[in-house]
Amino acid sequence: MTVTIDEAPSARTLTEAAVRLSGVSKWFGKETDKPVLDGIDLTVAPGEFVCLLGASGCGKSTLLNLVAGLDPVSAGSIEVTGGRAALMFQESALFPWLTAAGNIELALRLRGVGKAQRRSEAERLLSLVRLEGAAHKRAHELSGGMRQRVALARALAQQAEVLLMDEPFAALDAITRDVLHGELTALWQETGVTVLFVTHNVREAARLGQRVILLSSRPGRVAREWQVDIPQPRRIEDAAVSELAREITDELHREITKHARFAQGSATQRSGIKSKETRRDG
């Protein structure tokens, strides 16, 4: 029932998991309440890019929060190699009174990096996310895409073994999102960071992921997974990406339909029980 941390990342082997979830369940309230996640077993290899898909409410964001250690698991265990997982949200969550470089330097300071080194490291990270000229700009002076790049640089400043991304491009326009897809792929290939990426966008998952995991509707369970062998870099309009996206979408529709039928059946059953009780009371 705990998130356990491996304190010896240097000793890991290529076969060792960067993230391992074993029988993870999560419920809010009483143990008898319906769980959000139920018995999740998932292993993410070091340097792997895994996308999580599923209908709204299936527990994708909850799963990321558990891996990040922001919430305790209700049952099961989570192991994160190296002990550090950086979380990126849909909103950039930059401190508006700080510059782009200042936001990154804050993460470096919290990591214990000395003042003299922080500026040069912040500039290096801004360069890595293609924002060389934005060091002195504040959040209101940056576009949505630029703010997300700063947030990504800030996450990388934590030197996390694992990058957790919760729909980081959902609020952006299609063109900006397309550009950031390419840049994230290049950055992932350059740094070798492990990525666990939550999205509602099936094409986004097909474009980015080495593996795509589909969670069932609540309670969230691993319903299906796809190994994606399409070479990178990929384009959103590539035929192979479109074909995979159609296959995943069909499976997602089946999951949503199954859940809707189950919910309708449960509602009908509850209505029948209530009707009997009303007649008996009358």
Side-chain angles (χ1 to χ4, degrees), residues 178 203 206-207 230-246:
D178 185 61
R203 280 182 175 264
R207 177 178 182 178
I230 306 168
Q232 290 281 15
R234 304 170 194 157
R235 300 287 301 172
I236 203 83
E237 65 273 12
D238 287 347
V241 171
S242 297
E243 183 179 348
L244 175 61
R246 279 195 297 271

Side-chain angles (χ1 to χ4, degrees), residues 13-261:
T13 66
L14 292 176
T15 58
E16 189 174 14
V19 179
R20 180 178 284 112
L21 289 78
S22 303
V24 169
S25 296
K26 178 65 180 179
W27 53 83
F28 297 97
K30 296 178 291 186
E31 189 171 341
T32 53
D33 292 342
K34 187 175 183 179
V36 178
L37 297 169
D38 184 27
I40 297 286
D41 292 314
L42 177 62
T43 300
V44 182
E48 190 178 16
F49 198 127
V50 174
C51 289
L52 283 173
L53 275 170
S56 294
C58 72
K60 301 182 298 297
S61 295
T62 298
L63 189 150
L64 282 196
N65 288 338
L66 296 179
V67 175
L70 299 180
D71 245 339
V73 299
S74 300
S77 65
I78 299 176
E79 301 170 38
V80 180
T81 298
R84 285 191 295 272
L87 182 58
M88 252 189 89
F89 301 98
Q90 184 173 332
E91 297 296 330
S92 61
L94 299 179
F95 295 108
W97 59 89
L98 295 176
T99 62
N103 271 276
I104 298 168
E105 286 182 44
L106 177 60
L108 293 168
R109 188 174 73 183
L110 293 173
R111 218 185 80 211
V113 177
K115 185 176 181 180
Q117 189 183 347
R118 287 200 297 264
R119 176 49 58 93
S120 62
E121 180 63 6
E123 290 175 352
R124 184 188 72 80
L125 289 166
L126 284 170
S127 178
L128 193 63
V129 296
R130 315 293 190 266
L131 281 179
E132 292 89 343
H136 300 293
K137 292 185 177 180
R138 287 179 166 78
H140 72 276
E141 300 176 280
L142 302 172
S143 68
M146 293 170 77
R147 287 195 292 271
Q148 285 301 78
R149 290 180 191 174
V150 175
L152 178 56
R154 184 176 61 185
L156 294 172
Q158 300 173 45
Q159 282 194 340
E161 297 282 326
V162 179
L163 182 58
L164 308 171
M165 307 185 80
D166 192 0
E167 298 190 78
F169 307 142
L172 304 177
D173 63 88
I175 293 175
T176 302
R177 189 164 59 242
D178 185 61
V179 170
L180 289 179
H181 284 164
E183 293 186 354
L184 176 60
T185 297
L187 188 65
W188 162 67
Q189 290 176 321
E190 183 176 343
T191 61
V193 67
T194 304
V195 180
L196 194 53
F197 188 103
V198 160
T199 179
H200 278 98
N201 189 316
V202 175
R203 280 182 175 264
E204 182 172 62
R207 177 178 182 178
L208 293 174
Q210 287 183 299
R211 187 156 49 112
V212 177
I213 307 290
L214 177 65
L215 295 184
S216 64
S217 295
R218 188 168 181 172
R221 302 183 179 103
V222 176
R224 177 87 185 270
E225 70 174 72
W226 290 261
Q227 289 286 344
V228 185
D229 298 322
I230 306 168
Q232 290 281 15
R234 304 170 194 157
R235 300 287 301 172
I236 203 83
E237 65 273 12
D238 287 347
V241 171
S242 297
E243 183 179 348
L244 175 61
R246 279 195 297 271
E247 182 182 337
I248 296 172
T249 299
D250 288 344
E251 192 67 31
L252 178 58
H253 283 168
R254 279 191 284 271
E255 279 296 325
I256 293 172
T257 301
K258 186 195 307 180
H259 176 71
R261 286 174 179 167

